[in-house]
């Protein structure tokens, strides 16, 4: 079986008791039934855990119109398990990801590879507010709330947003400081990678290009890594923020301070990228020349996540 695997991790996954994610790219594998999926995964897992696997089905869901995810468990002792996620594009398997719990020794028979995202930067129409939903998306009436690591408690009197890394001016901004920088309002659509989109939602906050002007990232900066109070993280190509006129640190939604469920006191809103890049409850923005996986990127999602290019998962 020809394949490339690499080993990765993100802080939020550590919180969940996962010590690493083994991410394997798959090629030329057509799976047209659940039976074929099972057989394929059993063979695949044998290479990873080095013994006969017992595969238990967990769940599956469509991601847009093109992709789907199947989740299985490989049970271990004491109720622990290795999580297995199979990503399919149509009927083609494109990757298998294993979430390995803390303290477990797996004999990986494959070389872990450092993932090097290659991003050419096509300047396409980034307008996401047109009436027809983008490919693979459908409109819903109200946003679905995601809090994969729970809703954190926030004390706004001590909360500060830190802006750090390879910048000339590091910043620590309170909520009042953010308002003092001046806020703008945008009206936009918002697109979750699982397929739902919101139309015409308004956000008020500090435009990201204003943060860039003040912090002055150095010329070698290529990525912006964002960490949240709940341990969530994500990574965004620097150019997607520096060239965007409507990406912001949002403080209000539809004219009112963000609800705690939607990220109070501050969240990112990057309208032309899938929703997982719009981290809620943000605490640190880190400018860097080096790529590293955030929470969902460590689980196989795309380093850039452009909606117009349907960048849902990393390329195989
Ligand atoms: N801290 C944190 N930020 C997050 C998430 C999360 O689970 N935790 N989910 C992301 C995903 S997948 C989406 S689609 C949007 C959803 O935003 P909403 O919960 O305000 O609708 O938040 C993003 N930001
Ligand atoms: Mo999402």
């Amino acid at each position: 079986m020809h394949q490339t695997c690499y080993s990765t991790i993100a802080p939020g996954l550590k919180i969940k008791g996962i010590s690493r994610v083994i991410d394997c790219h798959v090629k030329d594998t057509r799976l047209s039934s659940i039976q074929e999926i099972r057989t394929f995964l059993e063979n695949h897992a044998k290479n990873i855990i080095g013994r006969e696997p017992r595969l238990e089905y967990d769940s599956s869901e469509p991601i847009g119109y093109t992709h789907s995810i199947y989740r299985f468990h490989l049970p271990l002792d004491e109720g622990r398990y290795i999580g297995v996620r199979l990503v399919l594009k149509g009927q083609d398997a494109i990757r298998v990801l294993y979430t390995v719990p803390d303290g477990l020794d797996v004999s990986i028979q494959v070389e872990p590879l450092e993932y090097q995202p290659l991003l050419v930067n096509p300047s396409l129409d980034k307008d996401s507010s047109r009436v027809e939903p983008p490919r693979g998306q459908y409109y819903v009436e109200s946003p679905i709330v995601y809090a994969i690591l729970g809703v954190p408690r926030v004390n706004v009197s001590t909360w500060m947003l830190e802006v750090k890394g390879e910048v000339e001016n590091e910043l620590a901004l309170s909520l009042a400081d953010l308002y003092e920088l001046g806020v703008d309002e945008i009206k936009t659509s918002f697109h979750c990678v699982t397929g739902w989109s919101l139309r015409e939602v308004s956000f008020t906050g500090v435009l990201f290009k204003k943060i860039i002007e003040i912090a002055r990232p150095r010329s070698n900066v290529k990525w912006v890594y964002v960490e949240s109070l709940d341990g969530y993280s994500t990574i965004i190509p620097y150019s997607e923020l520096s060239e965007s006129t409507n990406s912001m640190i949002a403080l209000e939604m539809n004219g009112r301070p963000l609800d705690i469920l939607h990220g109070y006191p501050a969240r990112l809103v990057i309208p032309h990228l899938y929703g997982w890049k719009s981290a809620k409850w943000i605490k640190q923005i880190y400018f860097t020349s080096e790529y590293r996986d955030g929470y969902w990127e460590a689980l196989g999602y795309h380093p850039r996540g452009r909606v117009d290019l349907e960048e849902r998962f990393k390329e195989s």
Side-chain angles (χ1 to χ4, degrees):
M1 190 184 312
H2 171 76
Q3 59 172 9
T4 329
C5 295
Y6 67 95
S7 171
T8 185
I9 186 66
L13 290 161
K14 278 216 168 108
I15 294 172
K16 284 184 140 185
I18 291 163
S19 64
R20 63 177 161 155
V21 177
I22 299 166
D23 178 353
C24 301
H25 302 224
V26 182
K27 277 206 175 97
D28 307 322
T29 307
R30 197 155 246 273
L31 302 173
S32 33
S33 68
I34 191 72
Q35 202 44 54
E36 286 182 23
I37 288 176
R38 245 179 208 292
T39 309
F40 166 73
L41 285 179
E42 275 164 7
N43 284 326
H44 197 273
K46 208 184 285 177
N47 283 324
I48 300 295
I49 63 171
R51 60 184 152 89
E52 213 56 50
R54 193 155 58 85
L55 204 62
E56 287 177 359
Y57 175 77
D58 173 33
S59 57
S60 60
E61 66 176 317
I63 305 290
Y65 294 156
T66 45
H67 292 72
S68 52
I69 292 186
Y70 283 78
R71 300 187 196 86
F72 292 80
H73 292 176
L74 292 171
L76 307 161
D77 52 339
E78 295 155 11
R80 294 187 311 162
Y81 60 85
I82 297 176
V84 186
R85 345 176 119 223
L86 169 70
V87 182
L88 292 168
K89 185 174 189 177
Q91 299 191 327
D92 296 320
I94 60 169
R95 45 209 317 130
V96 182
L97 297 115
Y98 297 88
T99 47
V100 182
D102 283 334
L104 186 80
D105 231 4
V106 284
S107 62
I108 312 176
Q109 312 282 319
V110 282
E111 281 294 301
L113 255 194
E114 197 54 45
Y115 179 70
Q116 287 296 345
L118 248 181
L119 297 176
V120 278
N121 211 1
S123 46
L124 290 181
D125 173 21
K126 290 186 193 170
D127 178 21
S128 58
S129 59
R130 60 202 168 133
V131 173
E132 278 296 299
R135 255 195 324 173
Q137 299 293 117
Y138 56 88
Y139 285 124
V140 294
E141 291 294 314
S142 49
I144 294 163
V145 169
Y146 285 122
I148 192 73
L149 296 165
V151 177
R153 281 218 188 120
V154 188
N155 181 348
V156 264
S157 62
T158 53
W159 175 84
M160 289 272 197
L161 176 63
E162 293 187 306
V163 180
K164 305 169 89 149
E166 295 168 41
V167 295
E168 284 180 19
N169 281 325
E170 294 200 335
L171 311 169
L173 302 162
S174 68
L175 188 52
D177 294 338
L178 283 164
Y179 273 102
E180 245 163 62
L181 292 179
V183 293
D184 286 273
E185 184 182 354
I186 58 161
K187 261 213 163 64
T188 183
S189 303
F190 185 86
H191 311 284
C192 173
V193 70
T194 59
W196 59 267
S197 292
L198 264 186
R199 205 180 345 209
E200 293 282 295
V201 53
S202 119
F203 289 103
T204 302
V206 180
L207 291 175
F208 206 91
K209 62 174 197 221
K210 209 174 260 181
I211 299 294
I212 289 176
E213 273 165 29
I214 303 167
R216 281 192 278 131
R218 293 188 223 285
S219 59
N220 58 336
V221 164
K222 286 205 180 67
W223 300 96
V224 182
Y225 180 79
V226 180
E227 281 187 287
S228 299
L229 294 169
D230 52 335
Y232 187 84
S233 56
T234 189
I235 189 146
I236 301 126
Y238 175 65
S239 60
E240 296 298 319
L241 291 166
S242 62
E243 290 167 22
S244 165
T245 52
N246 64 355
S247 296
M248 63 161 53
I249 294 167
L251 309 173
E252 298 174 13
M253 186 173 168
N254 295 332
R256 310 187 46 187
L258 287 172
D259 189 278
I260 179 69
L261 294 178
H262 289 303
Y264 180 81
R267 75 174 300 167
L268 286 182
V269 171
I270 311 172
H272 67 291
L273 304 184
Y274 286 115
W276 89 84
K277 303 288 186 182
S278 291
K280 305 192 281 189
W281 311 292
I282 54 177
K283 69 166 187 200
Q284 190 183 101
I285 296 172
Y286 193 84
F287 290 90
T288 172
S289 54
E290 309 244 311
Y291 178 82
R292 97 179 63 150
D293 281 334
Y295 185 90
W296 286 114
E297 292 82 11
L299 291 171
Y301 287 82
H302 201 277
R304 179 168 57 196
R306 280 262 292 259
V307 175
D308 56 356
L309 303 172
E310 269 202 90
E311 290 173 334
R312 298 176 197 269
F313 292 96
K314 289 170 179 166
E315 305 295 317
S316 285

